[in-house]
Amino acid sequence: MKTFSMSPAAGERYVPVSCPVCGESRTREGWNCGSYRFARCIGCGHLYQNPQPHFDGLRARYGDDYFSYELENDANFFDLMLKGLQDAGFFELERKLGDRRRFLDIGCATGMLLAYLKNRDWRVQGVEICEPAARYGVEKRKVPIAVGTLDEAAFQDAAFSFVHFSHVIEHVPDPRAFLLEVNRVLEPGGYVITVTPNRAGLQARVFRERWRSSIADHLNLFSRRSLVRLLSECGFSPIGWKTWGGIAKGMAPNFVKAPLDRLAKLAGFGDVVLVVSQKISRKPQDPPVGPPDGAP
Ligand SMILES: [Zn+2]
């Protein structure tokens, strides 16, 4: 999958933020990418953009160019997403839910996954910040998509039994507030699947600032560890995870890439990480505290 990033517009405002994972505000040098940088939290090792681009500027990045990119890659992204969902046991969870099939896809692009699930008897709903992509989904795929952010959609409490967001949480300015809102709109016992670039993966460790996911639109670079911690603190119980992608296409001949991809998946150092979790109805407990994320 190629990665697309809109360049920040001239004059975008930036705001200082503290670590969304542990709340610490002090950082040390992380990855310097030129016009933006990822600071490293001294509390937990999390990498995040600080100062952070102001949300008004971020929102403006997801316009017509972004839509063209999404439409161009629609089928390819959908295939990858479906493989990921299958790998993560989505269809077993679907069976468990029986007729409680209410699916929310946050960052649904043109709604391809929603259209697919609608045909499997799910009641579906999308949220998409890129207005032309959302309009395309509503008009061409006949699926409901709210334009804007999850907050702005203002869904009712416990409106869904399944929430999915793939390649979204790394774009969100406040991932903790985002996950708490996901928790609110999900029914107790409902499932969440989140997919994000894995900054503890092989490619991130090798390429660092030049990693294909070290882009200006990614505000937070998660590892499985930091993602699981945040999910646990926001009222979810992680029940499974996968990583995949050993090395990017074109970076090695296939006789190297294929075994490396298999190994990455087995050993958990793949380029993308997926975590499945379930909403717990009791008060979330603090997860056990361990050593900070190591410096890749
Ligand atoms: Zn931290």
Side-chain angles (χ1 to χ4, degrees), residues 24-212:
E24 171 64 61
S25 57
R26 290 167 302 161
T27 58
R28 54 194 169 84
E29 188 151 354
W31 297 350
N32 186 347
C33 301
S35 59
Y36 57 95
R37 61 188 57 209
F38 295 97
R40 190 185 301 281
C41 173
I42 66 161
C44 72
H46 181 61
L47 276 171
Y48 64 106
Q49 280 197 50
N50 193 15
Q52 186 181 83
H54 191 274
F55 188 64
D56 293 343
L58 291 171
R59 188 196 288 270
R61 295 183 195 178
Y62 303 104
D64 287 334
D65 290 345
Y66 200 81
F67 169 54
S68 306
Y69 158 78
E70 288 195 324
L71 196 57
E72 205 177 293
N73 291 286
D74 231 9
N76 187 22
F77 288 171
F78 176 67
D79 282 351
L80 288 171
M81 199 185 284
L82 205 56
K83 270 186 203 142
L85 287 175
Q86 196 166 12
D87 233 20
F90 172 77
F91 296 102
E92 285 80 50
L93 299 178
E94 182 187 63
R95 262 198 305 279
K96 269 192 197 169
L97 284 169
D99 56 6
R100 287 167 34 233
R101 295 186 176 189
R102 293 171 299 150
F103 193 92
L104 174 64
D105 192 14
I106 306 168
C108 64
T110 62
M112 221 164 172
L113 178 63
L114 295 176
Y116 170 82
L117 291 175
K118 196 176 154 190
N119 281 329
R120 296 178 64 89
D121 291 332
W122 284 84
R123 268 167 53 198
V124 296
Q125 173 69 53
V127 175
E128 175 54 53
I129 198 166
C130 176
E131 199 265 338
R135 204 173 51 226
Y136 182 96
V138 171
E139 285 168 9
K140 295 276 191 326
R141 303 222 157 95
K142 313 290 179 208
V143 288
I145 300 176
V147 180
T149 65
L150 175 62
D151 274 350
E152 289 163 354
F155 296 118
Q156 290 187 340
D157 289 359
F160 304 99
S161 59
F162 212 112
V163 183
H164 170 261
F165 37 100
S166 178
H167 295 280
V168 168
I169 196 166
E170 67 274 17
H171 295 255
V172 169
D174 185 344
R176 183 176 291 268
F178 173 79
L179 288 181
L180 289 170
E181 179 64 2
V182 169
N183 190 289
R184 186 187 68 77
V185 302
L186 187 64
E187 65 180 34
Y191 298 100
V192 170
I193 286 187
T194 179
V195 181
T196 190
N198 178 17
R199 78 111 170 134
L202 178 67
Q203 290 191 48
R205 286 172 187 272
V206 171
F207 296 112
R208 300 163 61 97
E209 294 88 346
R210 292 177 297 109
W211 179 36
R212 61 179 173 166

Side-chain angles (χ1 to χ4, degrees), residues 6-21:
M6 290 301 295
S7 304
E12 272 193 22
R13 284 183 296 146
Y14 285 79
V15 281
V17 287
S18 52
C19 174
V21 178

